């Protein structure tokens, strides 16, 4: 149990350091994508598979609605996976045991939409406009239950916008949230 706690703390610290490095690159203007042709369906399926143990540990049900056919886009697959991990990771953190997280990849007119819907706590309307700001925390107190630097959503927004996409959230307090992002069919 002690070794497991050390590993979890090490993982959290590594994510924090990576977020801080990405933030520094964004601020310095040196943040760059490495776009290549990749299969968005595969990236999403692979990301979800790696997060299922975390969802199971939190006693959550994860449902994936991802097309079986390949969706070829020009994208930085590692960065898109980073956004997926951030959004699904947040859903896992803020959904009580027994809840459900639904990840859906849907084709639209000239883009694809990935949405992560949870049955969690939801977000109050006054906090919604600030969610993607750097260092913003819905609960800024020192006694908050979930840790983080408040950089994940801001970094995710920068990554999606650098791909020519959009990112947003729909939420109702006490009813859960749906975070979503789009990627153009022909990503630059």
């Amino acid at each position: 149990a002690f070794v497991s706690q050390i590993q979890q703390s090490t993982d959290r610290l590594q994510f924090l350091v990576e977020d801080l490095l990405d933030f520094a690159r964004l601020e310095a203007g040196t943040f760059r994508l490495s776009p290549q042709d990749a299969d968005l369906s595969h990236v999403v399926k692979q990301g979800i598979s790696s997060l299922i143990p975390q969802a199971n540990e939190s006693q959550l049900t994860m449902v994936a609605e991802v097309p079986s056919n390949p969706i070829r886009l020009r994208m930085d697959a590692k960065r898109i996976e980073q956004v997926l991990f951030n959004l699904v990771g947040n859903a896992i953190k803020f959904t009580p045991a027994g809840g459900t997280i639904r990840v859906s990849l849907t084709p639209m007119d000239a883009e694809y939409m990935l949405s992560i819907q949870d049955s969690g706590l939801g977000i109050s309307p006054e906090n919604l406009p600030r969610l993607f700001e750097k260092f913003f925390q819905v609960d800024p107190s020192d006694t908050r239950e979930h840790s983080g630097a408040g950089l994940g959503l801001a970094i995710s927004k920068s990554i999606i916008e650098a791909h020519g996409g959009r990112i947003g959230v729909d939420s109702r307090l006490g009813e859960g949230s749906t975070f979503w992002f789009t990627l153009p069919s022909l990503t630059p």
Side-chain angles (χ1 to χ4, degrees):
F2 185 64
V3 172
S4 177
Q5 288 176 335
I6 291 171
Q7 182 62 48
Q8 288 175 355
S9 294
T10 301
D11 291 345
R12 280 194 298 272
L13 184 58
Q14 180 180 351
F15 288 128
L16 178 60
V17 169
E18 288 171 5
D19 279 351
L20 290 171
L21 288 171
D22 282 342
F23 172 71
R25 288 182 197 107
L26 286 166
E27 291 294 302
T30 60
F31 181 83
R32 301 283 179 262
L33 296 177
S34 298
Q36 299 177 8
D37 289 335
D39 178 2
L40 180 59
S41 290
H42 177 73
V43 170
V44 173
K45 288 176 192 174
Q46 186 176 334
I48 292 169
S49 291
S50 68
L51 290 165
I52 286 175
Q54 189 179 345
N56 290 343
E57 185 178 310
S58 297
Q59 300 174 358
L60 301 173
T61 300
M62 183 147 355
V63 178
E65 298 168 348
V66 181
S68 57
N69 58 309
I71 298 173
R72 304 297 303 176
L73 297 179
R74 185 147 182 84
M75 64 181 172
D76 186 330
K78 179 182 174 201
R79 293 299 186 174
I80 295 302
E81 189 174 54
Q82 178 182 355
V83 173
L84 178 69
F85 284 172
N86 187 329
L87 298 180
V88 175
N90 282 350
I92 291 170
K93 278 198 287 192
F94 295 105
T95 302
T100 300
I101 298 168
R102 181 176 309 277
V103 181
S104 304
L105 178 58
T106 310
M108 300 176 73
D109 290 337
E111 61 188 4
Y112 292 91
M113 176 179 275
L114 185 77
S115 61
I116 296 94
Q117 178 184 22
D118 66 54
S119 60
L121 308 173
I123 302 162
S124 63
E126 65 270 8
N127 287 324
L128 288 174
R130 299 197 56 212
L131 275 182
F132 294 94
E133 293 178 9
K134 296 170 194 146
F135 300 112
F136 180 74
Q137 300 271 343
V138 170
D139 177 6
S141 70
D142 290 337
T143 59
R144 68 181 179 264
E145 185 178 343
H146 305 287
S147 63
L151 292 172
L153 291 176
I155 291 168
S156 293
K157 182 176 191 241
S158 295
I159 291 169
I160 295 304
E161 289 177 348
H163 279 85
R166 301 172 290 122
I167 190 168
V169 60
D170 302 305
S171 185
R172 297 187 102 153
L173 199 55
E175 296 181 24
S177 302
T178 301
F179 281 82
W180 54 267
F181 67 85
T182 65
L183 291 172
S185 296
L186 299 173
T187 305

